[in-house]
Every structure is written in structure tokens, then in C-alpha cells.
């Protein structure tokens, strides 16, 4: 009844793959956000049976990165030179809600920097257009699912601290929680300096004109 | 049950972020309109589970600014050289109605001037294409919510003055109300002369041809 | 329960703002059609919770003006060089039906000539693509609403004369009715020779190529 | 309850206006197809609360004329250099069905030749893409409506002759019926050699390149 | 109750008109697929109240021909230089299902070669993207309808042979059946070498650049 | 009641045709994915009454190949120079679910390499954007259908091994099962080195500029 079995979990060594925490009808579960980019013109494709609110999360995340890319070492012209595809397996499970926002933004950041994502890390939280992280529901169920999947660290909104403190401390003594209020804190922690193996070459050829100069 | 908790409130020092007042099934509440602009061709993106009427408010606000930008020191060619994204957190809460009109227009004005928005200020009112401010409902509930969130000043339509006068005067003695009939009055009051920190550079390069000359 | 309160009425000194007469579930009412134009490529935007039939009225009105602009001193190339936005406040009130046709066409004519609209004037009538004015329903309720709003003159289709004659003559003795069969009669009467203050500059630069020559 | 009152009927001296016969819930009625063309790129706009089948009739009529224009003296390049708007008053009355097909094609032919339409003429019949005229229903009710509106001649499919012969001959002794099987017969009869007053100039400037040569 | 009466049947001497067999609620019937092409850019228009599955048949047929045109003497660049319109009379009768596939492909082939279609021939069968012909239902009813309409030869999938053998042999002794498994067999049999009268000129001007070279 | 009868099965010697395993209301069945490519600009067309989830599978498969084409000897510029059509017969049978993912990716790979697909091979499994193969349901029914159709080898996710082991070993003793976790394993096994007869010429002319350089 859950989306992913524990044995499907794996280290996040591929660029653009980040572990999120979802709250489904049958309880908490982990999910993966996968972002793949390819040369193009900035088109965004979303798959994985996503509902409207979850689709909007991806749009907001991409808009935030487009406006604030420099803070993370991303040349903003890249967003007009590459197409973006965000997928959330499993494809047949309907998914919705805003709580994948920070996971999506981290996934996009990894794809556009080709930096590795910290392993054994999961996250949940809504994002706003100005980069605030908002609290979400179902924290207890999500953390139990994260634990079952071998997750060691979880990022969430500071406002959700009280929900964590209601969980039996013994049960989660091996997990570490990071409380944030800004997207920048999420990315600074989640992305490692190290690039993935065989990273894409994202340098911009000088003769390629960005869209704005056409 | 309300959209934002009091502790989520914060000063409006980021360009394009303005506090509005909403009337929901469970009473009044504050909401934030966030506008972000990025180099592009004038595309408008709307997120935040907005209903048709609220989406139209954003379209009207942008059209008004496009036609009357000069009054506010905005070069009209900017609207063809930048893309606009308007988001209203929280993403999962359906929102509708015309009363966010003046908040949206103020948010767009701040984004396109990079001027600071007056802090501890909220507003509610419908906008028309010619810049009139129309009265809206739920004034009492909205003002109580604004007070709970620490708002000190509220802008609304002159026709709504009678709704304010029905509220216990003692209860709102620390708040100030600004009654307007024209959008120009809203922007003149809500936008400070001062620019935000690290403002975007909105100067137009001479070799960029506006759309009309293509 | 009505769309606009009497005190919202005002003189039609802004280009593109024309008073129409609507027939709602709670009786007759006045409404305003607002047209705003901005440099562009001829895109038409419609807002105000308009139903399909009312949207078609705007499309027909614009098509008529495009084909017959010369009769009214409008250079037809303007329709490819300016975007058009038609809004009908109040934004949350659903509106439909063909009876705003002549009001829309008058509003568009004023916007594209920047000529003043005759004040204290309202109108109601369907328009056809060849410029005929067709009769509409709810005349009695509409006229009573116009009187309440201080309207002095009303334009409608000749076929609706019988509906006016059924109203107590004493009650409307201060109002004047203009019966027409052609759109040209409406515009000739409704638009004043005088331009609005600060009119838009609608002259066409010689180096701007009209669409047909591309 | 009918779409048009008798006194709305008038001679078809304007290019692109043709009288059709409709069969509504309350009996037969006449309707007008109005076609207006303006410089553009071949865009087709349809208004008048038309159902899917009636919209398809317009698309088929335009496609037939595009492929067979030469037979009627129409330069096929015109279809890429002019936009087409087809409207069917009254705008609020839903209309559907294929029986306006030949009326639409005649209306388009008149618009693209600027030739007068024969007066006191009405027609009803489905059109196919290869120019066949197919029979339609409701013939008796349509003819009675045509008679009430002062129509003297009616065009329809040969297969509908039997439906006419079932009508009391005395009642329609002043009317003339033209039975056809091909669209060419309809246009040859319905369009007069004479052009309308103030015809549009449809000559193609030599420096305008047709779409296919781009 | 049937779509076409027998007297509407006629020889298939016009390019692009092919007789298919349909199975409706009231039994079998014949239908005509009409394809018309005009200079353009490869746009496909579908009319005749077609359901989704029938629309997909047309898309598949066109894709097959685009990929395999050379086998039938069709220059593949034509598909980017001509627009295609497929219509299935009668316009008001909803039609659906995949069994018109081979009729549509034959109709398209005739339009793009301007070759005559064999007369007194009908066909029914689903097509796949690789050119296989698949069996369809309602064979008995379809053949009886074909016989009533004077059809002498019928093409269908080899798998449908058993359905034909269940029909009283005496009743269909004057008809000939062609069983196929590949689309190539259909076209080879259905299209005559002879061109239609006044064929379209489909030669490609040397200065016209195909899409791929842009 | 099944989608394809056994006698419709055939060797996969045509490029782009791959056998999948489906699970329908009436049990397991085989299905064929057919991919056809033609010179174009990268447009993707999907037919065969596919549901949203199955359509997303095709989009994901194409995105994966676009990002990882080099691993399989596919020049990534091809995806901007050819249009892609994926069809799943039979056209009238609604199909949905993610389990055709690996079949679609194999079909696309064969089309873009023109390499033969291994014969008497079927497969079932969901694909993710990073190339993982996920387990699917209905394994027992799918394998029985594959056996009835003469399939000798089946590819599926390693996680599905336990479902195969629950089938009576005797019954499937002539079949071979390949368990995988990555898409690369699927393609390496399913595609033969040998090209199909009359392969398409997929070499890129030097004067054709890829999209990114425009
Ligand atoms: Ca799970
Ligand atoms: Ca939804
Ligand atoms: Ca709240
Ligand atoms: Ca709505
Ligand atoms: Ca009112
Ligand atoms: Ca409607
Ligand atoms: Ca009437
Ligand atoms: Ca319909
Ligand atoms: Ca019939
Ligand atoms: Ca359907
Ligand atoms: Ca089967
Ligand atoms: Ca669906």
C-alpha cells in the first residue's frame, strides 16, 4: 500500500534525484523527485500523476531558481537553454499537495549544478515564491516512513518542530532534524560541493545568444 | 484553520511582497501576494490555487499597470521584456474573489519599480481596468484578522468606511484606515521611495528592441 | 443585490468607459464596459466573469470595427498594433447575454479614437457582424435602473420602442430615448468630437510595417 | 419564440449576408449567416452560440472554397491573406446541426467575391467536402417560416423534393423551389454577377508573397 | 435510420473519396471518407462528428503514409507542403471506432497521388502504424449494407474471412471479397493507375525548401 | 475478449515494434508498441486510446532517451530533427497504467537506432526518469498470456521475481525470465546489433543546425 518499498531506496548519487516525504491515505511514505535536463529552450515537463497543487510547486520552484540562481552558482541563462523534466515515481499513484516544494527545488538545484545530493537525507515543506519554507501536515507519519526507509536526516520548516517533539524521542534517537525558514538553508545543506560522476557540461558557448537578446 | 499563523508575518522588505486581507469560510485572514519578475517576453504565470475571478484580478492589475505605468515611473517597455509570476501562499488553500485586486496591483508595482512596500500595512479592494477601487465584503472579519497579525494600517475603498465604523472603536484604536477611490492613491501610499536591498537592474539596454518595433 | 450602487456612477470622461444596462436575477442594473488598449499585436483580453455569449459580443464588436473602422476615422492598421482589454466590473458577478453588444462597440470605438463618450448616457442592444442593432429583453427593468443611476439618455433598438411605451410616461418624463437600427447611429450619437484629456498617441510610425505586408 | 421577427428581414444587398432556414424547438425559422473578412492570415472566427456540428459546417465550407475557389473566380491565395469571421444572429440562441452548410458556403462565396446575393432567397442543406448537397430535415416547418418572412425562392437538395410535395400546393403557390445536388449549382444561382456597393478591394499586391513560397 | 440512402451512392471518380462500411446502432451502413488537400504546411483538419478513436485512425493513417509514402509514389515532402482535411458525411451523425482506418488511408493515398479509386468498392478494417490490417466487428451487417448500396467488391482483414463465411453464400454470390493483412495490399488494389480528371499539380517547385532544411 | 489473438503475433523484425504484456479486466494479454519516426522537429504523437498514465510513460521514455541517448549510440540531436509517433493497437481498447514503460523505451530505442528487436521476447515494467525499472502488478496473468502467444523470453523488474516463482514451474519450463533494475540492461538485451532491412538513414547532414544553435 505504500509507494516505495524500502529496498528501492538508494543513495542520491545521481544529479537531480532527491528524497521527499509524502502523506498518503495509508500513512506516510517516501517519494523520489527526479529532475532531468536536456538542451532546449526552457520547457518544463511534469509527469507522475501530479495534481494541480503539486504541479504549481514545480512551477514555483523553477521560478524561484530562475530569479535567485546566482545565489547558488547557477547562470540564469541556463533556464532558457535547457528543457526541464520533473518526474515523481510511481507513475500510477496520484500525488498532490504543496509539501514536495522544497524537495522539488532541491532536485532542480542539483540538476542545474550537477552537484551531488547529501545521502540518507529526506525533506518536506512548502516553498513560496520569495524562498520562504512553510510548515506542512502529517509530520509524524512522514518521519516514521523515513525511518523505515533508512533516512538519517530530515529537513523541514521550523514551525514543524513542535510536531517532531510529539514523537517518542527514543524511536527517533538515530535521526537528525534540520529546521529551516528559508530555501537557501535547504540548498546549502542538501547539496554537496562535489559534482556527480559524468556531470553534464553546462558551460554556455559564447556564440549561443540567450533568449533576451533575440 | 486560518491561512497564515501570526508568527509567519514579517516586514515587507522584499520587492513584490504585499499583505492582503482575505475572507475565508472560517473567518478573516491575511494573505501575501508575491510577485517575482525575470527576463523574458511578458508572460504571466499565476500559482496558489487561484480561482477564475482572482486570476482575472491579476490580469486586470497587469493591464492597468501596462497602460498607466508612466504615472508610477515604470517604463512600459518593461512589460514586454520581463516575465511575471504572481503566487499566493499557501499553495493548497483554494482562493477566489476580486478583493485581492489592489494588493496584486501594489505587488506588481513594487516588483516593476523595486521600491519597498510600507511595512505593517495590509489592504483589500477590487480594482477596475480604469483604476477605480471598488468596495468588497467581509470587512469586519478581515480587520480583526489584520489586527491579530500585527497590521497597523489598512487601505480600502471609501465605500467600505461604513463597514469599519460598525466595529467597536476601542478594539481598533491602534489601527489606521486609509479610504481611497483610485488605484493611484493606493500605490502612492503603499510604495516607499526607497528601493529594496539588492534591487534588480531594470534599465533597458539600447540595443534591445521593444516588441512594437519588430 | 445590484451590481453598482448609484454613487459609483460617474461621468464618462475616460476613453473607453461606457455605461450599459443589464438585466439580472434581481432586476435591472447599470454596468460599465471598460476598454483599455496598449501597444501590442491585436490580442483581445476579456475579464469580468463573462459568459460565452457576452464574450462573443466583444469579438463581434471588434470584428465589426476592424472591418468598418474607416467610417469612424479609425485606421484599420491600429487593430494589429495595439492589444485590447475589455473588462466589466464587478469582477465577481457572472454576466452573460448579447445585450451589451452596442455598449462594447461604443467602448471600443472610444478607445480607438480617444474621443469622449457622451455623459449621462446608457445603452442596451445586441449587435450583428454587419452592424445591425437587434432588440433585447428586460427593457422596463433596465430603464428603471438607469433612472435610479441618474442616466438622462438611453439608446436601444427601434424594435424595443414598444417596450418603452409600456412604461408609465410620467415616471420617465425626464429621460430621452434614441431608437436605432444601425451601429453607425449609435457611435455617431454616443461619441463626442472632443478627445479625452491626455489622449493616447495613436499615430502610426511610418517604419512600422502592418501585418499584411510581412 | 422564433429567432427573427418578420420585420427584421431585409434584402441581401450586403456582401456575405445570406438567409438560411432553421428548424428549432418551436418550429421553423429563418436565420442569417453573416460573413465579414479583413486583412490577416486566414484565421477563422465563429460566433453566434454555434454547436460543434454547425461549427464544422463552416470549416468544411471554407475548405471546399479554398480547394475549389477557381471555379467561382476566387484567387486561392486570398484565403491566406484575409481573416474570416462568420456570425449567426441572434447571439443568445443556441444553434446546431449541418443544415446551414450551403448557406455558409454561399455567404463565404459572397464575401470573397463581393458579389451580391440574390434577394428574397433562402436555402437549407448540408454540404460535403467534395461539394455535394445532402438532404436535411424539417423542410415543411422551414418553408412555412420562409413564407412568413417574405421569401420567394428556396434552394435545397433534390432528395428533399418529396418533402416539399407533401405541403399543400396552394399554400406555397407563390414560392419557387430549386433542387440541387452540387454546391456549384447553389452558388451559380445565389450569387448575382453584380458586385455590392463599395466592394472591398481584393486584388493581391504583387509584392505580397503567398504562404507556400515562404 | 441509416446514414446514406442508396441513391446517394456514386462512383468514386473524385480523388480522395472512398467508401467505407460502418456498423451503427441500427445496423450496417456505408459511409464516405472525403479527403481534400490544399497548399499549406501539413495541418490536419477532421470533421464529421468523429469520436476520439476515429480521429486517431486518421492521425495513424497520415503518419503511416508520411513514413511509407515512397512505396506508393508519394514524395514525403508533400506532407509538409499541403494541408489535409478529412471529412465523413453526414455531419450530424456521431461516428467512432477504428474500422474506418483502411478507408482513411486509401482516401489519403488517393488525395496525395490524385489517382482514381476503384469503383463499386468498399472496405473496412483497422490500421496499425506499421501497416498491418486488423480485423473488425459487425462484418455481416456491413456486407448487407454494402450489397444494398450496389457495392461489388469489399476489402477486409484475413481474420474476418470466417465472419463472411457465416453469411448465406447465395445472398452474396455477386460480391467479391479481398482478404488482406498489409496496408500495401489495400492500396495496390484500391487505387487505379489512372489519375482523376483535372488532377491537382503536386510537383514540388525547386525553390521550395522542405521543413527539415530550414 | 483479449486484445490480440495468438495468430496476430509475429516476429519483431520491423524497427520500433516491441511486444509488451498488459493486464486487462479479462486477464493478461500481449500488446504491441509501435514507434514510427519521420523527419520533423521532435514532436511526439500518441495514439491507441491511451490513458494519462500511459501517455506519461511515453513522455518519460523519450526524455530518458534524450538525456541518455549516447549510451545507446543515439546522437541526441536526432530528437530535434525527427518527429515521433507511438501507437498501441488495438485502437478501440482503452489502455492505461505505467507497466508499458520499458516496452515503450525499447520501442523508441529501436526506432532511433534502426536495430532489430530480439524475437519471441516480451517485457513489462515501469520506468523512471533516471532509468530505474520498477515492479508492476498482474505478473501471473501476463506470463500466461505471453506463453499462449508463443513468447519465449520475458524481461521484468527484479522485484517481480517472487511473483514468477509463485507460478507452477512446469507450466513455464520453456520460458526464460530476465530480471533487471536498470533500463540499460533492458536495451542491451532486447536490441540486436543487426539493423532492420531497409533501415532509415539517420545520419545528420552537416548543414542542418541543431535547435540549440539557432
Ligand atoms: Ca513504499
Ligand atoms: Ca486539481
Ligand atoms: Ca493563519
Ligand atoms: Ca471558476
Ligand atoms: Ca448597483
Ligand atoms: Ca456558456
Ligand atoms: Ca423570428
Ligand atoms: Ca457539441
Ligand atoms: Ca443510408
Ligand atoms: Ca471519446
Ligand atoms: Ca488477444
Ligand atoms: Ca486519466
Amino acid at each position: 500500500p505504500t509507494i516505495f518499498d524500502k529496498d528501492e531506496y538508494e543513495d542520491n548519487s545521481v544529479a537531480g534525484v532527491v528524497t521527499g516525504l509524502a502523506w498518503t491515505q495509508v500513512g506516510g511514505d517516501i517519494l523520489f523527485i527526479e529532475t532531468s535536463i536536456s538542451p532546449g529552450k526552457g520547457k518544463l515537463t511534469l509527469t507522475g500523476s501530479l495534481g494541480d497543487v503539486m504541479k504549481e510547486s514545480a512551477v514555483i520552484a523553477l521560478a524561484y531558481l530562475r530569479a535567485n540562481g546566482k545565489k547558488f552558482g547557477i547562470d540564469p541563462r541556463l533556464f532558457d537553454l535547457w528543457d526541464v523534466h520533473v518526474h515523481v515515481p510511481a507513475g500510477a499513484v496520484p500525488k498532490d499537495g504543496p509539501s514536495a516544494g522544497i524537495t522539488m527545488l532541491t532536485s532542480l538545484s542539483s540538476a542545474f549544478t550537477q552537484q551531488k545530493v547529501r545521502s540518507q537525507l529526506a525533506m518536506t515543506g512548502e516553498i513560496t515564491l520569495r524562498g520562504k519554507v512553510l510548515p506542512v501536515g502529517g509530520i509524524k507519519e512522514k518521519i516514521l516512513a523515513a525511518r523505515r526507509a533508512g533516512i538519517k536526516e530530515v529537513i523541514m520548516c521550523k514551525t514543524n518542530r513542535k510536531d517532531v517533539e510529539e514523537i517518542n524521542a527514543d524511536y527517533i534517537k538515530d535521526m537528525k532534524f534540520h529546521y529551516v525558514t528559508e530555501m537557501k538553508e535547504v540548498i546549502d545543506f542538501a547539496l554537496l560541493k562535489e559534482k556527480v560522476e559524468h556531470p553534464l557540461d553546462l558551460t554556455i558557448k559564447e556564440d549561443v545568444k540567450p533568449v533576451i537578446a533575440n
Side-chain angles (χ1 to χ4, degrees), chain A residues 3-212:
Chain A
I3 302 183
F4 283 100
D5 295 325
K6 189 171 169 300
D7 59 358
E8 285 165 315
Y9 176 74
E10 57 169 31
D11 70 318
N12 295 3
S13 64
V14 181
V17 180
V18 185
T19 307
L21 298 176
W23 189 26
T24 72
Q25 285 184 324
V26 295
D29 204 348
I30 65 167
L31 53 73
F32 299 110
I33 308 284
E34 303 178 332
T35 297
S36 170
I37 63 175
S38 57
K41 311 187 206 176
K43 185 167 62 102
L44 173 63
T45 302
L46 300 169
T47 53
S49 296
L50 311 186
D52 294 346
V53 173
M54 200 160 182
K55 281 181 184 163
E56 287 195 354
S57 286
V59 172
I60 296 162
L62 191 58
Y64 173 78
L65 215 57
R66 180 183 282 267
N68 297 277
K70 282 181 191 165
K71 294 183 192 167
F72 311 110
I74 303 173
D75 185 325
R77 290 175 299 171
L78 287 177
F79 299 102
D80 294 317
L81 296 170
W82 291 80
D83 287 340
V84 180
H85 186 143
V86 178
H87 176 61
V88 190
V93 180
K95 310 168 192 82
D96 210 348
S99 72
I102 66 171
T103 319
M104 282 185 161
L105 200 141
T106 305
S107 172
L108 288 164
S109 302
S110 169
F112 275 104
T113 60
Q114 295 289 306
Q115 287 173 242
K116 273 195 169 175
V117 177
R118 189 176 292 271
S119 69
Q120 294 182 302
L121 170 72
M123 59 189 71
T124 187
E126 178 173 349
I127 181 181
T128 77
L129 196 53
R130 57 179 146 154
K132 294 281 172 198
V133 177
L134 300 185
V136 296
I139 290 296
K140 186 181 175 184
E141 293 80 0
K142 286 171 175 173
I143 287 176
L144 300 188
R147 190 180 174 277
R148 284 194 305 272
I151 297 292
K152 295 295 180 208
E153 298 183 281
V154 178
I155 304 178
M156 70 189 79
C157 176
K158 220 173 73 181
T159 309
N160 280 129
R161 182 195 292 264
K162 63 181 187 301
D163 304 306
V164 175
E165 290 169 353
E166 284 171 6
I167 305 176
N168 185 325
D170 250 31
Y171 193 73
I172 52 176
K173 63 171 186 280
D174 294 334
M175 297 180 78
K176 238 170 118 179
F177 299 92
H178 303 265
Y179 301 108
V180 301
T181 59
E182 306 278 340
M183 255 328 289
K184 194 167 181 322
E185 301 169 69
V186 179
I187 295 178
D188 284 351
F189 182 76
L191 290 198
L192 304 179
K193 291 271 176 290
E194 186 186 358
K195 294 221 168 178
V196 295
E197 271 187 66
H198 311 302
L200 287 172
D201 177 8
L202 298 176
T203 54
I204 296 175
K205 315 303 184 274
E206 279 315 298
D207 61 318
V208 175
K209 287 167 187 136
V211 162
I212 193 177

